Amino acid sequence: MFFQRLMNNMFTTAVFFLLLAVSSAAKEEQCMGGAPMENISSFLGMTLEYDLADFICCNNHVWAEDKGYLEWPEVDLFSRLDPSEEIIFYDSVCGQPLFVAPRGRSFDHFKAESIKHGWPSFRPEEMISENVILHDDGRMESICGTHLGHNLPEGGVDRYCIDLVCIAGSPASGLDFNATTYLSSAEQWSGKTKSNKVVSIVIAAVILVILGVIGCFVKKRCYPYAPKEKETISVESDDVEYSQGKDRNTDSSSASSEGEEKEQN
């Protein structure tokens, strides 16, 4: 019993510290401990909420700016873009280029898709793939740890639904990036997203099975001699008869002894 409790406590403690380490690491890595640039509040002449950017980009992995935020009167993204040119969107924290749009489609398509979904929507050829991390669960962040949004495939092709406040930065100092000659290496088809989820599930199941086998082994190792159930001993009828017969023989022997004593007397 002592060994079983010891193993359970050790396992629970290990899991706790593992989760704590992962959580702490994730918190430290986001935005590299920094914050959005001050000038994002006036990106392209807009009025963006700095506190919103700080929370969404650097203190969050789940929430997003309001749907339709890009159409708010003080924002109105597409009225500030030149339909005849590509625009480079930079990380709001570190100034690394993240997306170049529209590319491989028209400005009207880029605008219509973004307004339809409520957030700036980019396609694989528009991503600066070296600077963007796409996680298996669809979450996206920059190489600087800035939360960007999520991958929400549409029509069998990746579609990156991105928070405007996180891509409203200025180019980093000394940055050398030529958008004209750049070709994205992002994978176009998003079927891998589903397969990755399946692989993750299979791996998790295998780990659980291995832990179960180890648990059984440890239990047998610690308790090689399991207590056996108590055996119920039943008295057979023959034994009863034998006992009764033995008693009868004893009684008859006593009677005969008494008879012999009387005759002697």
Side-chain angles (χ1 to χ4, degrees), residues 40-41 43 46-53 56 64-78 114-115 117-120 162-166 168:
I40 67 164
S41 299
F43 176 60
M46 307 176 191
T47 302
L48 301 181
E49 300 172 76
Y50 184 85
D51 290 343
L52 175 66
I56 296 295
E65 62 195 23
D66 289 343
K67 181 178 181 179
Y69 183 73
L70 76 174
E71 290 188 279
W72 287 16
E74 63 271 29
V75 178
D76 199 11
L77 171 63
F78 288 98
S114 298
I115 291 177
H117 294 287
W119 290 271
I162 306 300
D163 292 294
L164 177 60
V165 294
C166 300

PDB file of all heavy atoms in Angstrom, residues 40-41 43 46-53 56 64-78 114-115 117-120 162-166 168:
ATOM      1  N   ILE A  40       1.044  52.136 -33.060  1.00  0.00           N
ATOM      2  CA  ILE A  40      -0.014  51.371 -33.727  1.00  0.00           C
ATOM      3  C   ILE A  40      -1.369  52.054 -33.582  1.00  0.00           C
ATOM      4  O   ILE A  40      -2.281  51.816 -34.376  1.00  0.00           O
ATOM      5  CB  ILE A  40      -0.125  49.936 -33.174  1.00  0.00           C
ATOM      6  CG1 ILE A  40      -0.623  49.961 -31.719  1.00  0.00           C
ATOM      7  CG2 ILE A  40       1.190  49.193 -33.279  1.00  0.00           C
ATOM      8  CD1 ILE A  40      -1.113  48.612 -31.233  1.00  0.00           C
ATOM      9  N   SER A  41      -1.489  52.921 -32.592  1.00  0.00           N
ATOM     10  CA  SER A  41      -2.762  53.610 -32.354  1.00  0.00           C
ATOM     11  C   SER A  41      -3.161  54.490 -33.528  1.00  0.00           C
ATOM     12  O   SER A  41      -4.346  54.807 -33.697  1.00  0.00           O
ATOM     13  CB  SER A  41      -2.677  54.473 -31.086  1.00  0.00           C
ATOM     14  OG  SER A  41      -2.410  53.664 -29.954  1.00  0.00           O
ATOM     15  N   PHE A  43      -2.127  53.739 -36.852  1.00  0.00           N
ATOM     16  CA  PHE A  43      -1.774  52.965 -38.041  1.00  0.00           C
ATOM     17  C   PHE A  43      -2.592  53.414 -39.253  1.00  0.00           C
ATOM     18  O   PHE A  43      -3.824  53.399 -39.235  1.00  0.00           O
ATOM     19  CB  PHE A  43      -2.017  51.485 -37.769  1.00  0.00           C
ATOM     20  CG  PHE A  43      -1.783  50.577 -38.941  1.00  0.00           C
ATOM     21  CD1 PHE A  43      -0.535  50.501 -39.542  1.00  0.00           C
ATOM     22  CD2 PHE A  43      -2.817  49.788 -39.433  1.00  0.00           C
ATOM     23  CE1 PHE A  43      -0.316  49.645 -40.616  1.00  0.00           C
ATOM     24  CE2 PHE A  43      -2.602  48.930 -40.498  1.00  0.00           C
ATOM     25  CZ  PHE A  43      -1.352  48.857 -41.097  1.00  0.00           C
ATOM     26  N   MET A  46      -5.608  55.495 -38.777  1.00  0.00           N
ATOM     27  CA  MET A  46      -6.739  54.960 -38.012  1.00  0.00           C
ATOM     28  C   MET A  46      -6.615  55.392 -36.548  1.00  0.00           C
ATOM     29  O   MET A  46      -5.622  55.986 -36.123  1.00  0.00           O
ATOM     30  CB  MET A  46      -6.741  53.425 -38.074  1.00  0.00           C
ATOM     31  CG  MET A  46      -6.700  52.822 -39.438  1.00  0.00           C
ATOM     32  SD  MET A  46      -6.583  51.000 -39.334  1.00  0.00           S
ATOM     33  CE  MET A  46      -6.207  50.606 -41.049  1.00  0.00           C
ATOM     34  N   THR A  47      -7.637  55.044 -35.780  1.00  0.00           N
ATOM     35  CA  THR A  47      -7.579  55.201 -34.332  1.00  0.00           C
ATOM     36  C   THR A  47      -7.810  53.824 -33.719  1.00  0.00           C
ATOM     37  O   THR A  47      -8.957  53.385 -33.563  1.00  0.00           O
ATOM     38  CB  THR A  47      -8.647  56.195 -33.826  1.00  0.00           C
ATOM     39  OG1 THR A  47      -8.455  57.468 -34.475  1.00  0.00           O
ATOM     40  CG2 THR A  47      -8.536  56.373 -32.317  1.00  0.00           C
ATOM     41  N   LEU A  48      -6.709  53.138 -33.415  1.00  0.00           N
ATOM     42  CA  LEU A  48      -6.795  51.798 -32.834  1.00  0.00           C
ATOM     43  C   LEU A  48      -6.625  51.882 -31.317  1.00  0.00           C
ATOM     44  O   LEU A  48      -5.929  52.754 -30.808  1.00  0.00           O
ATOM     45  CB  LEU A  48      -5.714  50.881 -33.425  1.00  0.00           C
ATOM     46  CG  LEU A  48      -5.738  50.674 -34.945  1.00  0.00           C
ATOM     47  CD1 LEU A  48      -4.611  49.719 -35.361  1.00  0.00           C
ATOM     48  CD2 LEU A  48      -7.083  50.131 -35.391  1.00  0.00           C
ATOM     49  N   GLU A  49      -7.237  50.956 -30.607  1.00  0.00           N
ATOM     50  CA  GLU A  49      -7.179  50.933 -29.147  1.00  0.00           C
ATOM     51  C   GLU A  49      -5.909  50.218 -28.685  1.00  0.00           C
ATOM     52  O   GLU A  49      -5.756  49.014 -28.897  1.00  0.00           O
ATOM     53  CB  GLU A  49      -8.410  50.234 -28.581  1.00  0.00           C
ATOM     54  CG  GLU A  49      -9.718  50.903 -28.973  1.00  0.00           C
ATOM     55  CD  GLU A  49     -10.915  50.066 -28.563  1.00  0.00           C
ATOM     56  OE1 GLU A  49     -11.252  50.045 -27.359  1.00  0.00           O
ATOM     57  OE2 GLU A  49     -11.508  49.427 -29.451  1.00  0.00           O
ATOM     58  N   TYR A  50      -5.019  50.961 -28.053  1.00  0.00           N
ATOM     59  CA  TYR A  50      -3.746  50.381 -27.624  1.00  0.00           C
ATOM     60  C   TYR A  50      -3.950  49.301 -26.563  1.00  0.00           C
ATOM     61  O   TYR A  50      -3.307  48.247 -26.609  1.00  0.00           O
ATOM     62  CB  TYR A  50      -2.811  51.462 -27.088  1.00  0.00           C
ATOM     63  CG  TYR A  50      -1.450  50.910 -26.732  1.00  0.00           C
ATOM     64  CD1 TYR A  50      -0.460  50.769 -27.706  1.00  0.00           C
ATOM     65  CD2 TYR A  50      -1.164  50.494 -25.430  1.00  0.00           C
ATOM     66  CE1 TYR A  50       0.781  50.227 -27.397  1.00  0.00           C
ATOM     67  CE2 TYR A  50       0.076  49.954 -25.114  1.00  0.00           C
ATOM     68  CZ  TYR A  50       1.034  49.822 -26.091  1.00  0.00           C
ATOM     69  OH  TYR A  50       2.255  49.276 -25.781  1.00  0.00           O
ATOM     70  N   ASP A  51      -4.807  49.552 -25.592  1.00  0.00           N
ATOM     71  CA  ASP A  51      -5.043  48.567 -24.532  1.00  0.00           C
ATOM     72  C   ASP A  51      -5.589  47.261 -25.106  1.00  0.00           C
ATOM     73  O   ASP A  51      -5.263  46.175 -24.627  1.00  0.00           O
ATOM     74  CB  ASP A  51      -6.016  49.125 -23.493  1.00  0.00           C
ATOM     75  CG  ASP A  51      -5.389  50.238 -22.659  1.00  0.00           C
ATOM     76  OD1 ASP A  51      -4.152  50.336 -22.659  1.00  0.00           O
ATOM     77  OD2 ASP A  51      -6.145  50.999 -22.020  1.00  0.00           O
ATOM     78  N   LEU A  52      -6.418  47.390 -26.121  1.00  0.00           N
ATOM     79  CA  LEU A  52      -6.963  46.200 -26.787  1.00  0.00           C
ATOM     80  C   LEU A  52      -5.832  45.417 -27.445  1.00  0.00           C
ATOM     81  O   LEU A  52      -5.755  44.191 -27.326  1.00  0.00           O
ATOM     82  CB  LEU A  52      -7.992  46.613 -27.837  1.00  0.00           C
ATOM     83  CG  LEU A  52      -8.570  45.476 -28.695  1.00  0.00           C
ATOM     84  CD1 LEU A  52      -9.397  44.521 -27.838  1.00  0.00           C
ATOM     85  CD2 LEU A  52      -9.425  46.047 -29.839  1.00  0.00           C
ATOM     86  N   ALA A  53      -4.947  46.123 -28.122  1.00  0.00           N
ATOM     87  CA  ALA A  53      -3.812  45.476 -28.784  1.00  0.00           C
ATOM     88  C   ALA A  53      -2.910  44.778 -27.775  1.00  0.00           C
ATOM     89  O   ALA A  53      -2.454  43.653 -28.001  1.00  0.00           O
ATOM     90  CB  ALA A  53      -3.020  46.500 -29.586  1.00  0.00           C
ATOM     91  N   ILE A  56      -4.889  41.546 -26.585  1.00  0.00           N
ATOM     92  CA  ILE A  56      -5.076  40.531 -27.631  1.00  0.00           C
ATOM     93  C   ILE A  56      -3.749  39.953 -28.100  1.00  0.00           C
ATOM     94  O   ILE A  56      -3.600  38.736 -28.250  1.00  0.00           O
ATOM     95  CB  ILE A  56      -5.835  41.132 -28.844  1.00  0.00           C
ATOM     96  CG1 ILE A  56      -7.254  41.560 -28.440  1.00  0.00           C
ATOM     97  CG2 ILE A  56      -5.885  40.132 -29.993  1.00  0.00           C
ATOM     98  CD1 ILE A  56      -8.151  40.423 -28.019  1.00  0.00           C
ATOM     99  N   ALA A  64     -10.292  37.506 -29.364  1.00  0.00           N
ATOM    100  CA  ALA A  64      -9.991  38.289 -30.557  1.00  0.00           C
ATOM    101  C   ALA A  64     -10.653  39.654 -30.440  1.00  0.00           C
ATOM    102  O   ALA A  64     -11.530  39.868 -29.593  1.00  0.00           O
ATOM    103  CB  ALA A  64     -10.512  37.574 -31.809  1.00  0.00           C
ATOM    104  N   GLU A  65     -10.216  40.591 -31.271  1.00  0.00           N
ATOM    105  CA  GLU A  65     -10.900  41.872 -31.334  1.00  0.00           C
ATOM    106  C   GLU A  65     -12.330  41.646 -31.833  1.00  0.00           C
ATOM    107  O   GLU A  65     -12.633  40.580 -32.378  1.00  0.00           O
ATOM    108  CB  GLU A  65     -10.155  42.819 -32.281  1.00  0.00           C
ATOM    109  CG  GLU A  65     -10.110  42.313 -33.721  1.00  0.00           C
ATOM    110  CD  GLU A  65      -9.081  43.027 -34.596  1.00  0.00           C
ATOM    111  OE1 GLU A  65      -8.109  43.589 -34.030  1.00  0.00           O
ATOM    112  OE2 GLU A  65      -9.234  42.996 -35.828  1.00  0.00           O
ATOM    113  N   ASP A  66     -13.187  42.607 -31.659  1.00  0.00           N
ATOM    114  CA  ASP A  66     -14.588  42.448 -32.058  1.00  0.00           C
ATOM    115  C   ASP A  66     -14.718  42.131 -33.540  1.00  0.00           C
ATOM    116  O   ASP A  66     -13.982  42.679 -34.378  1.00  0.00           O
ATOM    117  CB  ASP A  66     -15.379  43.725 -31.756  1.00  0.00           C
ATOM    118  CG  ASP A  66     -15.595  43.936 -30.271  1.00  0.00           C
ATOM    119  OD1 ASP A  66     -15.430  42.958 -29.506  1.00  0.00           O
ATOM    120  OD2 ASP A  66     -15.903  45.074 -29.872  1.00  0.00           O
ATOM    121  N   LYS A  67     -15.660  41.272 -33.846  1.00  0.00           N
ATOM    122  CA  LYS A  67     -15.952  40.993 -35.254  1.00  0.00           C
ATOM    123  C   LYS A  67     -16.437  42.277 -35.917  1.00  0.00           C
ATOM    124  O   LYS A  67     -17.291  42.983 -35.383  1.00  0.00           O
ATOM    125  CB  LYS A  67     -17.026  39.910 -35.363  1.00  0.00           C
ATOM    126  CG  LYS A  67     -17.372  39.538 -36.794  1.00  0.00           C
ATOM    127  CD  LYS A  67     -18.403  38.415 -36.838  1.00  0.00           C
ATOM    128  CE  LYS A  67     -18.712  38.038 -38.286  1.00  0.00           C
ATOM    129  NZ  LYS A  67     -19.700  36.931 -38.361  1.00  0.00           N
ATOM    130  N   GLY A  68     -15.856  42.568 -37.062  1.00  0.00           N
ATOM    131  CA  GLY A  68     -16.225  43.793 -37.765  1.00  0.00           C
ATOM    132  C   GLY A  68     -15.453  45.024 -37.318  1.00  0.00           C
ATOM    133  O   GLY A  68     -15.738  46.135 -37.773  1.00  0.00           O
ATOM    134  N   TYR A  69     -14.469  44.814 -36.430  1.00  0.00           N
ATOM    135  CA  TYR A  69     -13.667  45.935 -35.923  1.00  0.00           C
ATOM    136  C   TYR A  69     -13.007  46.694 -37.066  1.00  0.00           C
ATOM    137  O   TYR A  69     -12.868  47.926 -37.022  1.00  0.00           O
ATOM    138  CB  TYR A  69     -12.611  45.401 -34.958  1.00  0.00           C
ATOM    139  CG  TYR A  69     -11.752  46.439 -34.298  1.00  0.00           C
ATOM    140  CD1 TYR A  69     -12.263  47.267 -33.300  1.00  0.00           C
ATOM    141  CD2 TYR A  69     -10.405  46.586 -34.645  1.00  0.00           C
ATOM    142  CE1 TYR A  69     -11.474  48.222 -32.676  1.00  0.00           C
ATOM    143  CE2 TYR A  69      -9.610  47.532 -34.019  1.00  0.00           C
ATOM    144  CZ  TYR A  69     -10.143  48.344 -33.043  1.00  0.00           C
ATOM    145  OH  TYR A  69      -9.357  49.292 -32.426  1.00  0.00           O
ATOM    146  N   LEU A  70     -12.623  45.977 -38.120  1.00  0.00           N
ATOM    147  CA  LEU A  70     -11.946  46.618 -39.249  1.00  0.00           C
ATOM    148  C   LEU A  70     -12.842  47.596 -40.006  1.00  0.00           C
ATOM    149  O   LEU A  70     -12.354  48.424 -40.799  1.00  0.00           O
ATOM    150  CB  LEU A  70     -11.414  45.558 -40.220  1.00  0.00           C
ATOM    151  CG  LEU A  70     -12.390  44.832 -41.164  1.00  0.00           C
ATOM    152  CD1 LEU A  70     -11.622  43.954 -42.131  1.00  0.00           C
ATOM    153  CD2 LEU A  70     -13.423  44.042 -40.437  1.00  0.00           C
ATOM    154  N   GLU A  71     -14.173  47.567 -39.742  1.00  0.00           N
ATOM    155  CA  GLU A  71     -15.110  48.464 -40.412  1.00  0.00           C
ATOM    156  C   GLU A  71     -15.575  49.615 -39.523  1.00  0.00           C
ATOM    157  O   GLU A  71     -16.351  50.459 -39.977  1.00  0.00           O
ATOM    158  CB  GLU A  71     -16.337  47.684 -40.889  1.00  0.00           C
ATOM    159  CG  GLU A  71     -16.091  46.730 -42.036  1.00  0.00           C
ATOM    160  CD  GLU A  71     -17.379  46.146 -42.575  1.00  0.00           C
ATOM    161  OE1 GLU A  71     -17.899  45.180 -41.978  1.00  0.00           O
ATOM    162  OE2 GLU A  71     -17.876  46.671 -43.606  1.00  0.00           O
ATOM    163  N   TRP A  72     -15.142  49.625 -38.276  1.00  0.00           N
ATOM    164  CA  TRP A  72     -15.549  50.723 -37.401  1.00  0.00           C
ATOM    165  C   TRP A  72     -15.150  52.058 -38.054  1.00  0.00           C
ATOM    166  O   TRP A  72     -14.094  52.145 -38.715  1.00  0.00           O
ATOM    167  CB  TRP A  72     -14.890  50.599 -36.034  1.00  0.00           C
ATOM    168  CG  TRP A  72     -15.463  49.504 -35.182  1.00  0.00           C
ATOM    169  CD1 TRP A  72     -16.251  48.463 -35.585  1.00  0.00           C
ATOM    170  CD2 TRP A  72     -15.273  49.347 -33.778  1.00  0.00           C
ATOM    171  NE1 TRP A  72     -16.572  47.661 -34.525  1.00  0.00           N
ATOM    172  CE2 TRP A  72     -15.992  48.176 -33.390  1.00  0.00           C
ATOM    173  CE3 TRP A  72     -14.584  50.062 -32.798  1.00  0.00           C
ATOM    174  CZ2 TRP A  72     -16.024  47.731 -32.069  1.00  0.00           C
ATOM    175  CZ3 TRP A  72     -14.608  49.614 -31.493  1.00  0.00           C
ATOM    176  CH2 TRP A  72     -15.330  48.457 -31.123  1.00  0.00           C
ATOM    177  N   PRO A  73     -15.959  53.088 -37.904  1.00  0.00           N
ATOM    178  CA  PRO A  73     -15.665  54.373 -38.562  1.00  0.00           C
ATOM    179  C   PRO A  73     -14.255  54.904 -38.307  1.00  0.00           C
ATOM    180  O   PRO A  73     -13.608  55.433 -39.222  1.00  0.00           O
ATOM    181  CB  PRO A  73     -16.728  55.323 -37.962  1.00  0.00           C
ATOM    182  CG  PRO A  73     -17.858  54.417 -37.601  1.00  0.00           C
ATOM    183  CD  PRO A  73     -17.210  53.147 -37.133  1.00  0.00           C
ATOM    184  N   GLU A  74     -13.778  54.772 -37.065  1.00  0.00           N
ATOM    185  CA  GLU A  74     -12.445  55.283 -36.744  1.00  0.00           C
ATOM    186  C   GLU A  74     -11.330  54.361 -37.241  1.00  0.00           C
ATOM    187  O   GLU A  74     -10.143  54.696 -37.149  1.00  0.00           O
ATOM    188  CB  GLU A  74     -12.301  55.511 -35.241  1.00  0.00           C
ATOM    189  CG  GLU A  74     -12.412  54.273 -34.389  1.00  0.00           C
ATOM    190  CD  GLU A  74     -13.846  53.957 -33.955  1.00  0.00           C
ATOM    191  OE1 GLU A  74     -14.783  54.317 -34.703  1.00  0.00           O
ATOM    192  OE2 GLU A  74     -14.007  53.341 -32.886  1.00  0.00           O
ATOM    193  N   VAL A  75     -11.723  53.187 -37.758  1.00  0.00           N
ATOM    194  CA  VAL A  75     -10.753  52.219 -38.283  1.00  0.00           C
ATOM    195  C   VAL A  75     -10.844  52.185 -39.810  1.00  0.00           C
ATOM    196  O   VAL A  75      -9.922  52.593 -40.520  1.00  0.00           O
ATOM    197  CB  VAL A  75     -10.994  50.813 -37.699  1.00  0.00           C
ATOM    198  CG1 VAL A  75      -9.993  49.818 -38.297  1.00  0.00           C
ATOM    199  CG2 VAL A  75     -10.870  50.829 -36.180  1.00  0.00           C
ATOM    200  N   ASP A  76     -11.945  51.656 -40.325  1.00  0.00           N
ATOM    201  CA  ASP A  76     -12.252  51.646 -41.765  1.00  0.00           C
ATOM    202  C   ASP A  76     -11.021  51.282 -42.616  1.00  0.00           C
ATOM    203  O   ASP A  76     -10.536  52.061 -43.435  1.00  0.00           O
ATOM    204  CB  ASP A  76     -12.793  53.014 -42.179  1.00  0.00           C
ATOM    205  CG  ASP A  76     -13.545  52.959 -43.502  1.00  0.00           C
ATOM    206  OD1 ASP A  76     -13.816  51.833 -43.977  1.00  0.00           O
ATOM    207  OD2 ASP A  76     -13.835  54.030 -44.074  1.00  0.00           O
ATOM    208  N   LEU A  77     -10.526  50.081 -42.388  1.00  0.00           N
ATOM    209  CA  LEU A  77      -9.271  49.624 -42.989  1.00  0.00           C
ATOM    210  C   LEU A  77      -9.186  49.825 -44.490  1.00  0.00           C
ATOM    211  O   LEU A  77      -8.238  50.428 -45.000  1.00  0.00           O
ATOM    212  CB  LEU A  77      -9.065  48.138 -42.647  1.00  0.00           C
ATOM    213  CG  LEU A  77      -7.921  47.425 -43.366  1.00  0.00           C
ATOM    214  CD1 LEU A  77      -6.580  48.039 -42.992  1.00  0.00           C
ATOM    215  CD2 LEU A  77      -7.946  45.932 -43.055  1.00  0.00           C
ATOM    216  N   PHE A  78     -10.163  49.312 -45.233  1.00  0.00           N
ATOM    217  CA  PHE A  78     -10.012  49.248 -46.689  1.00  0.00           C
ATOM    218  C   PHE A  78     -10.132  50.601 -47.383  1.00  0.00           C
ATOM    219  O   PHE A  78      -9.668  50.750 -48.521  1.00  0.00           O
ATOM    220  CB  PHE A  78     -11.011  48.241 -47.264  1.00  0.00           C
ATOM    221  CG  PHE A  78     -10.638  46.818 -46.943  1.00  0.00           C
ATOM    222  CD1 PHE A  78     -11.222  46.158 -45.877  1.00  0.00           C
ATOM    223  CD2 PHE A  78      -9.647  46.164 -47.663  1.00  0.00           C
ATOM    224  CE1 PHE A  78     -10.865  44.862 -45.555  1.00  0.00           C
ATOM    225  CE2 PHE A  78      -9.270  44.866 -47.351  1.00  0.00           C
ATOM    226  CZ  PHE A  78      -9.878  44.215 -46.290  1.00  0.00           C
ATOM    227  N   SER A 114     -12.555  39.518 -46.191  1.00  0.00           N
ATOM    228  CA  SER A 114     -12.269  40.041 -44.858  1.00  0.00           C
ATOM    229  C   SER A 114     -13.528  40.607 -44.208  1.00  0.00           C
ATOM    230  O   SER A 114     -13.808  40.340 -43.031  1.00  0.00           O
ATOM    231  CB  SER A 114     -11.188  41.121 -44.938  1.00  0.00           C
ATOM    232  OG  SER A 114      -9.973  40.586 -45.442  1.00  0.00           O
ATOM    233  N   ILE A 115     -14.301  41.366 -44.958  1.00  0.00           N
ATOM    234  CA  ILE A 115     -15.524  41.954 -44.410  1.00  0.00           C
ATOM    235  C   ILE A 115     -16.561  40.873 -44.122  1.00  0.00           C
ATOM    236  O   ILE A 115     -17.275  40.934 -43.110  1.00  0.00           O
ATOM    237  CB  ILE A 115     -16.096  43.000 -45.393  1.00  0.00           C
ATOM    238  CG1 ILE A 115     -15.158  44.211 -45.446  1.00  0.00           C
ATOM    239  CG2 ILE A 115     -17.509  43.416 -44.984  1.00  0.00           C
ATOM    240  CD1 ILE A 115     -15.577  45.280 -46.439  1.00  0.00           C
ATOM    241  N   HIS A 117     -16.075  37.823 -43.085  1.00  0.00           N
ATOM    242  CA  HIS A 117     -15.748  37.090 -41.853  1.00  0.00           C
ATOM    243  C   HIS A 117     -15.560  38.009 -40.653  1.00  0.00           C
ATOM    244  O   HIS A 117     -15.629  37.549 -39.510  1.00  0.00           O
ATOM    245  CB  HIS A 117     -14.502  36.233 -42.067  1.00  0.00           C
ATOM    246  CG  HIS A 117     -14.711  35.130 -43.063  1.00  0.00           C
ATOM    247  ND1 HIS A 117     -15.452  34.004 -42.789  1.00  0.00           N
ATOM    248  CD2 HIS A 117     -14.287  34.996 -44.355  1.00  0.00           C
ATOM    249  CE1 HIS A 117     -15.471  33.201 -43.845  1.00  0.00           C
ATOM    250  NE2 HIS A 117     -14.774  33.782 -44.814  1.00  0.00           N
ATOM    251  N   GLY A 118     -15.304  39.289 -40.894  1.00  0.00           N
ATOM    252  CA  GLY A 118     -15.198  40.231 -39.779  1.00  0.00           C
ATOM    253  C   GLY A 118     -13.790  40.543 -39.325  1.00  0.00           C
ATOM    254  O   GLY A 118     -13.599  41.370 -38.421  1.00  0.00           O
ATOM    255  N   TRP A 119     -12.788  39.908 -39.916  1.00  0.00           N
ATOM    256  CA  TRP A 119     -11.381  40.151 -39.585  1.00  0.00           C
ATOM    257  C   TRP A 119     -10.563  40.114 -40.886  1.00  0.00           C
ATOM    258  O   TRP A 119     -10.959  39.441 -41.857  1.00  0.00           O
ATOM    259  CB  TRP A 119     -10.836  39.078 -38.649  1.00  0.00           C
ATOM    260  CG  TRP A 119     -11.376  39.128 -37.260  1.00  0.00           C
ATOM    261  CD1 TRP A 119     -10.869  39.833 -36.201  1.00  0.00           C
ATOM    262  CD2 TRP A 119     -12.541  38.447 -36.768  1.00  0.00           C
ATOM    263  NE1 TRP A 119     -11.641  39.627 -35.078  1.00  0.00           N
ATOM    264  CE2 TRP A 119     -12.668  38.785 -35.393  1.00  0.00           C
ATOM    265  CE3 TRP A 119     -13.490  37.588 -37.342  1.00  0.00           C
ATOM    266  CZ2 TRP A 119     -13.711  38.307 -34.599  1.00  0.00           C
ATOM    267  CZ3 TRP A 119     -14.525  37.114 -36.561  1.00  0.00           C
ATOM    268  CH2 TRP A 119     -14.631  37.466 -35.202  1.00  0.00           C
ATOM    269  N   PRO A 120      -9.417  40.768 -40.944  1.00  0.00           N
ATOM    270  CA  PRO A 120      -8.551  40.647 -42.114  1.00  0.00           C
ATOM    271  C   PRO A 120      -8.257  39.169 -42.389  1.00  0.00           C
ATOM    272  O   PRO A 120      -7.818  38.445 -41.489  1.00  0.00           O
ATOM    273  CB  PRO A 120      -7.288  41.401 -41.701  1.00  0.00           C
ATOM    274  CG  PRO A 120      -7.773  42.400 -40.695  1.00  0.00           C
ATOM    275  CD  PRO A 120      -8.857  41.700 -39.935  1.00  0.00           C
ATOM    276  N   ILE A 162      -7.046  37.068 -38.930  1.00  0.00           N
ATOM    277  CA  ILE A 162      -6.037  37.770 -38.133  1.00  0.00           C
ATOM    278  C   ILE A 162      -6.592  39.038 -37.475  1.00  0.00           C
ATOM    279  O   ILE A 162      -7.403  39.757 -38.062  1.00  0.00           O
ATOM    280  CB  ILE A 162      -4.837  38.152 -39.031  1.00  0.00           C
ATOM    281  CG1 ILE A 162      -4.284  36.906 -39.752  1.00  0.00           C
ATOM    282  CG2 ILE A 162      -3.754  38.837 -38.221  1.00  0.00           C
ATOM    283  CD1 ILE A 162      -3.787  35.811 -38.840  1.00  0.00           C
ATOM    284  N   ASP A 163      -6.131  39.274 -36.243  1.00  0.00           N
ATOM    285  CA  ASP A 163      -6.511  40.501 -35.528  1.00  0.00           C
ATOM    286  C   ASP A 163      -5.729  41.689 -36.090  1.00  0.00           C
ATOM    287  O   ASP A 163      -4.485  41.680 -36.086  1.00  0.00           O
ATOM    288  CB  ASP A 163      -6.216  40.355 -34.038  1.00  0.00           C
ATOM    289  CG  ASP A 163      -7.118  39.321 -33.369  1.00  0.00           C
ATOM    290  OD1 ASP A 163      -8.337  39.560 -33.294  1.00  0.00           O
ATOM    291  OD2 ASP A 163      -6.594  38.277 -32.932  1.00  0.00           O
ATOM    292  N   LEU A 164      -6.463  42.713 -36.535  1.00  0.00           N
ATOM    293  CA  LEU A 164      -5.830  43.885 -37.132  1.00  0.00           C
ATOM    294  C   LEU A 164      -4.859  44.561 -36.176  1.00  0.00           C
ATOM    295  O   LEU A 164      -3.773  44.998 -36.594  1.00  0.00           O
ATOM    296  CB  LEU A 164      -6.907  44.887 -37.573  1.00  0.00           C
ATOM    297  CG  LEU A 164      -6.412  46.215 -38.149  1.00  0.00           C
ATOM    298  CD1 LEU A 164      -5.562  45.973 -39.401  1.00  0.00           C
ATOM    299  CD2 LEU A 164      -7.594  47.130 -38.460  1.00  0.00           C
ATOM    300  N   VAL A 165      -5.207  44.629 -34.903  1.00  0.00           N
ATOM    301  CA  VAL A 165      -4.346  45.341 -33.939  1.00  0.00           C
ATOM    302  C   VAL A 165      -2.992  44.671 -33.750  1.00  0.00           C
ATOM    303  O   VAL A 165      -2.066  45.294 -33.216  1.00  0.00           O
ATOM    304  CB  VAL A 165      -5.048  45.471 -32.566  1.00  0.00           C
ATOM    305  CG1 VAL A 165      -6.271  46.370 -32.663  1.00  0.00           C
ATOM    306  CG2 VAL A 165      -5.415  44.104 -32.002  1.00  0.00           C
ATOM    307  N   CYS A 166      -2.872  43.410 -34.194  1.00  0.00           N
ATOM    308  CA  CYS A 166      -1.602  42.683 -34.026  1.00  0.00           C
ATOM    309  C   CYS A 166      -0.724  42.724 -35.272  1.00  0.00           C
ATOM    310  O   CYS A 166       0.412  42.221 -35.256  1.00  0.00           O
ATOM    311  CB  CYS A 166      -1.882  41.234 -33.626  1.00  0.00           C
ATOM    312  SG  CYS A 166      -2.782  41.074 -32.071  1.00  0.00           S
ATOM    313  N   ALA A 168      -0.412  45.781 -37.070  1.00  0.00           N
ATOM    314  CA  ALA A 168      -0.447  47.216 -37.371  1.00  0.00           C
ATOM    315  C   ALA A 168       0.868  47.905 -37.008  1.00  0.00           C
ATOM    316  O   ALA A 168       0.887  49.106 -36.709  1.00  0.00           O
ATOM    317  CB  ALA A 168      -1.611  47.867 -36.618  1.00  0.00           C
TER     318      ALA A 168
END
